[in-house]
């Protein structure tokens, strides 16, 4: 990126953010803070009214706006691809809004770039075997409302469907954040019923509405801290297995979802080390490898496998 492109990009960032620090700009453009200072001075000399607060960052003063932004065909293509992916893996409440956004992008494209996007659209197809409605009952349509609750610090009241007892219970929660993990959205929130932080699947929410009551988000941990705690080794069990090389190449991605931390390969087998939260869950994954897998540790996992295989044997007797 040359200097002109960087300065233009800095101006766009200033226009799109409430405040941004010199360090954040330096990190974004992989340059020094001194270079950012010089770029800001160029913008000021060009008449851009930039304000600054020590320790807070730079900002554009009220009343200043850029002329309409023109998108390149590559940027429009990226938006189109994101729209296709969101349509299959996203949330119903976001699909409509994102489609509206991409239509606005298309509206400002040059004629030749519109042709590019229309042709590209004919050659992109996203397919998935996974339905958007995991429970078979409730549509995944609440992400947009949850986002509003997070920004406005509004309390959520909802009926939440739990798989373990196949019942929907009323929950009043104080949302902490959203995370997309292993193909599903997760809402982490303080649950007043359980008096603790809980992980909720938005596609298991039967209905939801925002209360007028607000909560103090500073009383709750940050989303990043919640995720770190979930992955804390003290909550995970160390699992070591030996897997035949003939089958280890299959289902390769799944081992990362299950918490693979180390893998050693020999000519005949692979020794894999995992950190996982549920022996029962892990044992069920091991079942489909049959006698091609050997459990090295822990012994509790062997016991879990014996229990599952006994259940299967009795079921088919």
């Amino acid at each position: 990126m040359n200097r002109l492109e960087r300065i233009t990009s800095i101006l766009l960032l200033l226009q799109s953010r409430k405040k941004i620090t010199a360090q954040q700009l330096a990190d974004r453009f992989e340059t020094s803070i001194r270079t950012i200072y010089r770029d800001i001075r160029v913008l000021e000399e060009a008449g851009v009214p930039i304000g600054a607060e020590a320790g807070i960052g730079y900002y554009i003063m009220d009343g200043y706006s850029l002329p309409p932004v023109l998108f390149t065909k590559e940027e429009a293509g990226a938006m189109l691809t994101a729209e296709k992916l969101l349509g299959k893996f996203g949330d119903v409440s976001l699909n409509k809004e994102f489609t509206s956004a991409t239509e606005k992008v298309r509206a400002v494209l040059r004629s030749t770039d519109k042709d590019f996007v229309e042709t590209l659209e004919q050659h992109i197809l996203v397919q998935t075997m996974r339905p958007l409605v995991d429970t078979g009952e409730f549509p995944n349509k609440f992400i947009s409302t949850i986002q509003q609750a997070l920004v406005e610090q509004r309390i959520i009241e909802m009926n939440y469907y739990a798989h373990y007892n196949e019942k929907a219970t009323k929950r009043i929660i104080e949302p902490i954040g959203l995370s997309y993990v292993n193909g599903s959205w997760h809402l982490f929130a303080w649950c007043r019923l359980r008096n603790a932080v809980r992980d909720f699947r938005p596609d298991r929410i039967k209905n939801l509405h925002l209360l007028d009551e607000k909560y103090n988000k500073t009383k709750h941990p940050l989303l990043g801290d919640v995720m770190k705690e979930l992955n804390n080794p003290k909550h995970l069990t160390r699992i070591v297995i030996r897997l035949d090389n003939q089958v280890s190449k299959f289902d390769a991605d799944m081992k990362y979802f299950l918490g693979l931390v180390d893998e050693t390969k020999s000519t005949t087998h692979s020794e894999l080390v995992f950190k996982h939260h549920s022996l029962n869950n892990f044992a069920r994954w091991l079942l489909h490898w049959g006698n091609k897998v050997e459990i090295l540790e822990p012994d509790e996992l062997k016991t879990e496998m014996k229990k599952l295989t006994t259940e299967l044997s009795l079921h088919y007797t």
Side-chain angles (χ1 to χ4, degrees), residues 36-289:
I36 295 299
Y37 290 156
R38 288 194 291 267
D39 292 343
I40 292 294
R41 194 175 303 116
V42 169
L43 288 171
E44 290 174 329
E45 291 172 354
V48 180
I50 298 176
E53 293 183 33
I56 301 297
Y58 295 109
Y59 59 91
I60 296 285
M61 294 182 182
D62 291 341
Y64 180 84
S65 62
L66 291 171
V69 176
L70 289 178
F71 292 87
T72 66
K73 61 179 183 294
E74 291 81 9
E75 291 169 337
M79 290 278 286
L80 171 65
T81 304
E83 180 187 5
K84 294 282 187 180
L85 288 169
L86 189 64
K88 290 293 184 181
F89 298 102
D91 176 275
V92 174
S93 66
L94 298 179
N95 294 346
K96 180 180 178 182
E97 304 300 333
F98 198 85
T99 298
S100 176
T102 55
E103 287 174 351
K104 291 177 181 177
V105 170
R106 294 189 192 203
V108 298
L109 291 176
R110 303 177 184 88
S111 297
T112 54
D113 293 343
K114 288 179 181 177
D115 292 338
F116 173 88
V117 173
E118 289 174 3
T119 302
L120 180 62
E121 186 171 17
Q122 299 171 18
H123 297 279
I124 296 180
L125 179 64
V126 177
Q127 291 184 308
T128 175
M129 298 300 293
R130 182 182 181 135
L132 287 177
V133 185
D134 286 351
T135 65
E137 190 173 354
F138 315 133
N140 196 19
K141 62 178 183 180
F142 297 111
I143 297 295
S144 182
T145 306
I146 293 169
Q147 289 176 335
Q148 181 183 350
L150 285 165
V151 173
E152 298 178 0
Q153 297 179 48
R154 299 266 295 278
I155 289 174
I156 292 174
E157 183 180 83
M158 65 183 184
N159 283 329
Y160 186 74
Y161 177 90
H163 269 177
Y164 75 93
N165 62 5
E166 297 184 341
K167 292 181 180 179
T169 57
K170 180 181 177 181
R171 302 291 184 99
I172 296 178
I173 63 172
E174 301 174 13
I176 293 172
L178 284 163
S179 179
Y180 193 76
V181 182
N182 294 348
S184 299
W185 282 103
H186 293 256
L187 166 61
F188 295 95
W190 179 267
C191 177
R192 291 187 175 180
L193 179 64
R194 305 301 183 199
N195 200 33
V197 174
R198 286 291 185 265
D199 174 6
F200 299 99
R201 286 271 297 271
D203 56 355
R204 293 179 187 165
I205 297 174
K206 186 175 182 180
N207 54 60
L208 171 153
H209 68 275
L210 303 186
L211 302 181
D212 292 333
E213 181 184 356
K214 295 193 175 185
Y215 64 95
N216 183 357
K217 67 178 182 180
T218 60
K219 293 183 178 180
H220 302 316
L222 298 173
L223 178 61
D225 294 333
V226 172
M227 300 299 291
K228 286 180 183 177
E229 182 63 21
L230 287 176
N231 294 310
N232 191 322
K234 71 180 182 181
H235 300 309
L236 305 174
T237 301
R238 187 174 187 268
I239 297 170
V240 184
I241 64 171
R242 182 177 290 132
L243 191 61
D244 193 303
N245 281 342
Q246 292 180 345
V247 298
S248 63
K249 60 185 177 181
F250 299 108
D251 209 11
D253 290 340
M254 192 62 189
K255 62 187 178 184
Y256 298 105
F257 293 141
L258 290 167
L260 180 72
V261 295
D262 191 31
E263 182 175 6
T264 305
K265 291 188 177 183
S266 70
T267 55
T268 59
H269 65 269
S270 297
E271 190 170 297
L272 299 96
V273 181
F274 296 85
K275 291 289 184 71
H276 195 69
H277 66 280
S278 169
L279 291 179
N280 180 270
N281 176 278
F282 199 90
R284 291 179 184 278
W285 177 66
L286 290 183
L287 278 177
H288 74 290
W289 296 126

